[in-house]
Amino acid sequence: MTESLATIGTRPLPEETHSCWSCGSMRAAHFCESCGKVQPPQPVDYFAFFGLPPKLNLDVATLEKDFYELSRRLHPDLNARGGSRVQEWSLEQSSMLNDAYRTLRDPIKRTEYLLHLEGMELEEQSKSATEQARATGEVKKQIVPPDLLEEVFELNMQLEELRTQKKMGEDDPALIEEIGKQKLALEEKHEALLDELKAGWKAWDALIDRGSAANAVERAQITGQMVDVLNRRNYIRNLVRDVNEALES
Amino acid sequence: MSSDHIVGIDLGTTNSLVAFMQGETPVVIPGEDGSNLVPSVVALDAGNQPVIGNAARNLLIETPERAVYSIKRLMGRGVEDIQEELKLFPFRVAEDLQPGEVLRIRLGDKTFTPPEISALILRQLKRNAERYFGEAVTKAVITVPAYFNDAQRQATKDAGRIAGLEVLRLVNEPTAASLAYGLDKKQNGIVAVYDLGGGTFDISILKLHDGIFEVIATNGDTHLGGDDIDNLLITIALDDIRGDLGIDLRRNAEAVQAIRKAVIDAKIALSAQPSVKLDFELPGGKRYQREITREQFEQLIQPIIDRTVGPCKQALKDANLKPEQIDEVVLVGGSTRIPKVRALVKEMFRREPHTDLNPDEVVALGAAVQAVILGGGSQATQNMLLLDVTPLSLGIEVAGGVTDKIILRNSTIPASATQFYTTQIDGQANVAIHVLQGERELAKDCRSLARFDLKGIPPMAAGIPRVEVKFLIDANGILNVSAREQRSGKQADIQVQPSYGLTDEQVEGMILDSFDNAEEDFRRRQVIEARNEAATILAALDKGKKSVAWAELTSDEKKQIARMEKVLVAAKDEDDYQAIRQAIDALNQGTMRLAELMMDTAVSSALKGKKMDETDLGEGPTPPHPMAPPEFQ
């Protein structure tokens, strides 16, 4: 994972402009409002890059509009005639713009990014992490959510049976139907967890709105809950992926 | 005319083109033979001088061992991953290749790397443009298949440098095509570009929004195109000949090239007519003749064109769109002239595809549009901006030979990712990073891009150094890597070993070879071209003197023309092309009234009831133009 370059609360927002390297106007952020020149990139996080508070409910349509507007200023194609410094800054600024937009427009990626800024680590649930653990024989940092323990155990047994049957060229419609039902139940859980996550967003945003009144304990509690929901959600997503693979193979 | 022309180049598998924006319209610059398309064929003539384009195509049939085509298929590839290509294409790989060395292809008794061969094609296009402008051209936008990986892009950029061109941007071919289409249809919506060329297939899905061309998803196959159809037909013919006549022509390069030409002609004809007769002479005088109906042809190529379906579906899936949500479909590439391909596209996207622009030219035209955008824009390109994506995920190899993806495919570029590395043993000074490109889970199934060695890490206990490595894919889709040791703040030294490709030093060496003569070459060419033009205008003047219009000039006018003629005749034999041009311009001005009178004569005879083309027009002095004299057969 990438590391944040600044912590929340200490970074300059784009509204906080500085003096332009080219014309000296004080109205420069990513680019200068007066002369249009691209400015050296500032080490800010993705929210701050868009001049946003670090809140989890955001209007994607506005974000898209801002993304297009900033692209028209920062993209290397439109700065190709600048000197080598301008070209370098334009490349860095527009890659940051693209990275930030890609992360923030997706609510799950946005949440994961915020949790990362808050110093929280998610479990490694990615497929490559699974493969890596398998290949190196390491134990993967992944815990079965306690409330799913029983179901997962049963489902894994059934999947094992299905794989064995498939190897033998047999076909058990009843087993396939049973697995299908379980998959459906998992997908419903996956959806329900999104609602839980949304509750987390609301709580977090309220906390940010209160500003300095928010205390660290509360902060850690809300982010901790979101980490838990995301871990469970990712776990279920991977389980569904395994089921699909077993059914399709 | 400004001395800063940026041209747009489509460096194709089969044909290449160069275009520029004339005012607000992109136009293709024709070659000396008047043709817009320069066949991507390179040959060596008897004097070992490189010949490019149509002339090389003739040599390809006469002396196939001294010629090469479809070199784009080998760009950025290693000898081990072209084995399939070698079965189907007459590439003669140099025998003395060392392991890990960049591929070299033999032409006669010389060898060339694929970027050098591409550079020869680029240099021809550069010359065509210089001839057109009458000035040196040093900057270009070059198009590449959207699905080209980092190594293939880098090889294309190297080719530009070798040809003496500063490559301002590599643009993806389907995206370039959409720019050309977008120029006169400023509208919002979702567009799919289906690009089936000579050797590559791309599908790109774009969102058009007030002049922003945002690629949402792209997919493709860099080894799928019209070439595959040709090879199929060639194989059938070769098998027929071996079966019926008992001769195996596979090793007879000349015969194979003759067959290739015949099947390509047949393939093209079948797009317009229901059946065609394949007819060519075999060594020994016998003729091969075979009737092919369009139906048979369509059956034959079905498996090939079906290979475009998977990438289209994947692109739609990645874009999170259903076929019904596509507003427009644009066809690009010569192979989309095949009716069956059009039917397939229509079926897939449930929409009649656009074919208003010439599918052979639209990519080059789009590259010319992008060239103007990079050059600061114009009225026509106002508000236009391309936001393209990286077609393949970028990953690094982690423990267990697994790929850890750090930039996912279809991410808008420029895009970056930062990774942190540390050391395993005390005092370790180097860390190796293996960069991969592709979608597969295991490193061995992905494309190896390069191995980076981080060097000069200050001596510290194991696990203490913290090296921040930044991977950045630039607007050309090419990877840049930088590293910094955080504890010491020291910039780590990165040594790159590209898995497939030329080092900077190698490219430099190749540039020098051609650069030494570049200026001299250019001047000499200018002189030759100016002399040719002078000859044309002098010949035209001779005809003018014999026309009725000549008698209508005053004696002063005649004297003046004679004086100018003398100046030009004298200048023609000197080596100063500017003097020749000046004399041509003067004579052109001086004979303006003569030309007008000749036109009047022509018009008045037309009024007398004669058809224009029956009138003896005579030949007016023609203003300087880029086209060579036409040929009549």
Side-chain angles (χ1 to χ4, degrees):
Chain A
M1 281 298 283
T2 54
E3 288 254 324
S4 73
L5 293 161
T7 47
I8 290 176
T10 60
R11 61 196 172 253
L13 293 174
E15 289 91 71
E16 295 172 18
T17 54
H18 50 83
S19 100
C20 169
W21 62 269
S22 175
C23 72
S25 152
M26 284 308 292
R27 299 170 58 222
H30 301 313
F31 62 92
C32 174
E33 294 280 352
S34 302
C35 69
K37 291 258 172 36
V38 173
Q39 303 294 307
Q42 303 293 318
V44 293
D45 69 57
Y46 293 163
F47 290 99
F49 190 91
F50 276 100
L52 293 166
K55 286 161 76 168
L56 290 172
N57 281 297
L58 68 80
D59 180 18
V60 177
T62 311
L63 187 75
E64 185 188 57
K65 203 177 127 263
D66 291 349
F67 167 68
Y68 286 150
E69 250 166 48
L70 284 169
S71 292
R72 289 192 191 280
R73 299 293 191 155
L74 305 180
H75 197 278
D77 286 0
L78 306 176
N79 290 285
R81 287 184 312 162
S84 61
R85 259 192 331 175
V86 165
Q87 290 192 27
E88 196 180 311
W89 292 336
S90 149
L91 177 60
E92 284 179 36
Q93 290 267 30
S94 74
S95 77
M96 185 135 172
L97 169 66
N98 291 336
D99 297 344
Y101 178 56
R102 186 162 55 244
T103 306
L104 295 187
R105 73 177 162 188
D106 178 79
I108 301 297
K109 281 195 195 138
R110 187 192 310 150
T111 311
E112 287 173 347
Y113 178 70
L114 179 98
L115 292 173
H116 168 71
L117 287 182
E118 286 290 295
M120 312 289 279
E121 280 293 327
L122 285 173
E123 283 168 16
E124 284 287 326
Q125 300 279 16
S126 71
K127 194 150 187 200
S128 70
T130 314
E131 293 281 346
Q132 188 184 351
R134 197 177 290 163
T136 54
E138 279 170 25
V139 181
K140 197 169 52 162
K141 281 191 292 171
Q142 176 182 326
I143 308 134
V144 184
D147 58 321
L148 286 174
L149 214 52
E150 208 173 313
E151 283 170 78
V152 168
F153 182 73
E154 199 185 330
L155 181 64
N156 275 332
M157 297 274 284
Q158 286 168 337
L159 287 179
E160 203 46 53
E161 201 182 328
L162 181 73
R163 287 189 195 110
T164 318
Q165 282 183 4
K166 284 208 167 177
K167 245 179 236 162
M168 314 276 288
E170 288 166 16
D171 194 23
D172 180 357
L175 179 66
I176 290 174
E177 200 194 325
E178 181 53 34
I179 293 174
K181 261 189 213 157
Q182 298 233 35
K183 187 184 132 186
L184 213 64
L186 284 173
E187 282 169 344
E188 275 166 21
K189 258 202 187 105
H190 193 252
E191 270 305 296
L193 282 167
L194 183 62
D195 290 336
E196 262 188 64
L197 194 61
K198 281 179 181 165
W201 298 346
K202 212 172 152 191
W204 171 263
D205 289 358
L207 188 92
I208 294 298
D209 282 338
R210 291 214 311 274
S212 55
N215 69 50
V217 177
E218 226 181 320
R219 205 170 173 123
Q221 191 197 346
I222 296 171
T223 52
Q225 266 167 6
M226 285 195 281
V227 166
D228 180 52
V229 173
L230 275 178
N231 280 341
R232 282 198 291 163
R233 204 167 171 271
N234 288 342
Y235 185 86
I236 291 175
R237 190 197 59 212
N238 288 350
L239 213 54
V240 170
R241 191 188 62 208
D242 288 349
V243 171
N244 283 336
E245 269 176 17
L247 287 174
E248 279 161 19
S249 73
Chain B
M1 210 178 267
S2 112
S3 59
D4 204 24
H5 295 291
I6 310 174
V7 292
I9 291 177
D10 174 4
L11 182 62
T13 309
T14 317
N15 293 302
S16 298
L17 302 87
V18 55
F20 86 112
M21 280 283 256
Q22 188 168 52
E24 305 295 295
T25 321
V27 291
V28 176
I29 299 172
E32 212 162 349
D33 55 6
S35 157
N36 277 0
L37 302 181
V38 173
S40 304
V41 184
V42 173
L44 292 184
D45 66 14
N48 264 347
Q49 288 305 303
V51 177
I52 290 96
N54 280 314
R57 201 152 61 167
N58 297 332
L59 289 176
L60 177 63
I61 293 176
E62 290 159 21
T63 51
E65 74 291 344
R66 301 173 65 82
V68 62
Y69 64 95
S70 293
I71 194 66
K72 194 172 176 180
R73 289 197 171 234
L74 303 190
M75 292 289 271
R77 310 188 89 208
V79 69
E80 61 283 4
D81 45 27
I82 58 157
Q83 293 310 310
E84 280 306 304
E85 251 72 27
L86 292 182
K87 284 182 204 154
L88 295 165
F89 293 86
F91 293 124
R92 283 165 298 280
V93 176
E95 289 94 353
D96 58 344
L97 274 190
Q98 303 302 313
E101 197 191 346
V102 175
L103 206 58
R104 275 183 290 120
I105 298 299
R106 203 155 44 77
L107 293 190
D109 47 17
K110 289 187 165 191
T111 65
F112 299 86
T113 61
E116 286 174 290
I117 293 168
S118 295
L120 289 170
I121 301 168
L122 288 173
R123 197 175 62 175
Q124 181 63 46
L125 297 170
K126 179 177 185 275
R127 285 180 173 175
N128 289 352
E130 287 172 342
R131 186 168 166 276
Y132 188 98
F133 296 128
E135 284 174 359
V137 170
T138 56
K139 291 175 182 172
V141 167
I142 302 180
T143 62
V144 289
Y147 217 56
F148 251 19
N149 66 28
D150 185 271
Q152 291 167 307
R153 284 167 196 268
Q154 193 62 60
T156 307
K157 222 180 158 191
D158 290 344
R161 274 174 72 197
I162 296 167
L165 285 168
E166 184 188 347
V167 182
L168 295 186
R169 182 72 74 242
L170 296 177
V171 186
N172 293 330
E173 287 158 9
T175 325
S178 75
L179 276 183
Y181 266 96
L183 208 53
D184 42 38
K185 290 190 189 99
K186 293 229 169 79
Q187 57 191 18
N188 296 336
I190 308 281
V191 177
V193 183
Y194 179 101
D195 179 355
L196 187 61
T200 58
F201 170 66
D202 281 326
I203 175 78
S204 285
I205 299 175
L206 295 98
K207 182 169 157 189
L208 270 53
H209 181 92
D210 295 340
I212 289 191
F213 290 64
E214 184 186 12
V215 180
I216 319 176
T218 194
N219 211 295
D221 185 337
T222 55
H223 295 91
L224 172 60
D227 271 354
D228 295 287
I229 294 174
D230 305 342
N231 286 334
L232 195 62
L233 292 168
I234 294 169
T235 309
I236 290 171
L238 287 172
D239 286 349
D240 281 350
I241 294 162
R242 189 170 50 184
D244 292 1
L245 304 175
I247 25 177
D248 192 354
L249 290 178
R250 278 182 171 74
R251 305 214 154 265
N252 185 333
E254 284 160 55
V256 170
Q257 286 315 311
I259 297 171
R260 180 167 171 270
K261 187 176 180 308
V263 302
I264 291 173
D265 290 345
K267 173 183 80 171
I268 292 169
L270 277 170
S271 287
Q273 59 204 52
S275 80
V276 73
K277 192 164 206 173
L278 194 54
D279 183 355
F280 52 84
E281 196 179 311
L282 298 172
K286 278 197 175 168
R287 298 197 74 81
Y288 175 97
Q289 290 175 320
R290 172 199 265 278
E291 184 88 10
I292 305 176
T293 67
R294 190 187 282 178
E295 204 185 335
Q296 292 168 331
F297 176 72
E298 290 180 348
Q299 268 177 15
L300 203 63
I301 64 167
Q302 193 72 48
I304 294 174
I305 65 175
D306 278 349
R307 283 168 58 198
T308 66
V309 174
C312 289
K313 287 192 169 156
Q314 187 61 51
L316 279 168
K317 197 176 162 198
D318 287 353
N320 203 10
L321 291 169
K322 293 198 173 59
E324 302 80 51
Q325 289 170 285
I326 305 290
D327 298 308
E328 314 252 4
V329 181
V330 170
L331 293 183
V332 182
S335 302
T336 61
R337 287 206 175 85
I338 299 171
K340 190 71 180 169
V341 172
R342 294 189 173 188
L344 179 87
V345 174
K346 193 180 164 190
E347 193 193 331
M348 259 191 304
F349 294 99
R350 287 155 221 183
R351 197 160 294 280
E352 200 66 53
H354 277 281
T355 51
D356 343 346
L357 293 177
N358 182 337
D360 291 325
E361 296 184 353
V362 61
V363 168
L365 298 176
V369 176
Q370 178 70 357
V372 167
I373 295 174
L374 288 165
S378 74
Q379 190 75 29
T381 67
Q382 215 174 16
N383 286 328
M384 283 173 88
L385 174 63
L386 254 184
L387 299 177
D388 221 315
V389 299
T390 179
L392 297 156
S393 300
L394 186 82
I396 43 174
E397 184 174 343
V398 292
V402 174
T403 314
D404 185 16
K405 287 181 192 148
I406 55 173
I407 300 176
L408 295 182
R409 72 162 182 269
N410 293 325
S411 293
T412 305
I413 51 173
S416 69
T418 307
Q419 295 278 320
F420 291 91
Y421 291 88
T422 190
T423 49
Q424 306 282 325
I425 42 172
D426 292 346
Q428 186 180 336
N430 300 348
V431 171
I433 305 169
H434 189 197
V435 185
L436 305 153
Q437 201 168 30
E439 309 310 318
R440 304 284 294 276
E441 301 301 333
L442 294 179
K444 68 176 173 58
D445 300 323
C446 286
R447 175 84 190 174
S448 169
L449 286 191
R451 288 174 192 276
F452 293 93
D453 276 328
L454 294 180
K455 298 202 169 183
I457 298 170
M460 284 184 236
I464 297 296
R466 222 172 122 71
V467 187
E468 182 195 67
V469 180
K470 191 172 180 193
F471 299 86
L472 187 140
I473 300 178
D474 67 17
N476 300 311
I478 290 178
L479 176 68
N480 301 260
V481 180
S482 59
R484 202 163 48 97
E485 203 290 304
Q486 286 204 314
R487 312 253 178 235
S488 62
K490 219 179 126 185
Q491 193 80 24
D493 173 27
I494 300 185
Q495 290 198 350
V496 189
Q497 295 163 301
S499 303
Y500 308 89
L502 301 164
T503 62
D504 261 2
E505 291 74 29
Q506 284 174 306
V507 172
E508 291 296 330
M510 291 169 180
I511 295 171
L512 292 177
D513 288 350
S514 58
F515 238 63
D516 284 340
N517 306 316
E519 278 305 307
E520 183 56 27
D521 274 3
F522 183 61
R523 247 212 344 268
R524 215 166 36 223
R525 244 171 31 241
Q526 294 275 40
V527 173
I528 292 169
E529 280 160 18
R531 275 183 194 155
N532 288 343
E533 223 169 276
T536 310
I537 189 173
L538 289 172
L541 181 62
D542 277 346
K543 286 206 175 158
K545 281 179 185 168
K546 288 175 201 144
S547 78
V548 277
W550 182 252
E552 290 184 42
L553 293 182
T554 65
S555 63
D556 268 0
E557 282 172 325
K558 286 181 190 164
K559 261 188 215 156
Q560 208 186 355
I561 291 176
R563 227 180 12 248
M564 289 168 172
E565 187 182 4
K566 230 170 149 181
V567 173
L568 180 57
V569 170
K572 197 163 79 79
D573 297 326
E574 297 297 319
D575 279 343
D576 183 353
Y577 81 88
Q578 274 167 330
I580 307 175
R581 291 237 171 247
Q582 269 168 16
I584 291 172
D585 287 346
L587 187 58
N588 250 329
Q589 283 292 326
T591 52
M592 202 92 93
R593 205 171 90 82
L594 174 63
E596 275 165 22
L597 287 170
M598 286 166 76
M599 273 306 286
D600 287 348
T601 325
V603 173
S604 63
S605 14
L607 290 174
K608 280 176 201 150
K610 270 181 153 180
K611 279 193 201 148
M612 268 286 246
D613 54 2
E614 284 169 3
T615 312
D616 184 7
L617 260 182
E619 216 178 318
T622 39
H625 67 74
M627 282 161 304
E631 282 178 78
F632 297 100
Q633 285 158 359

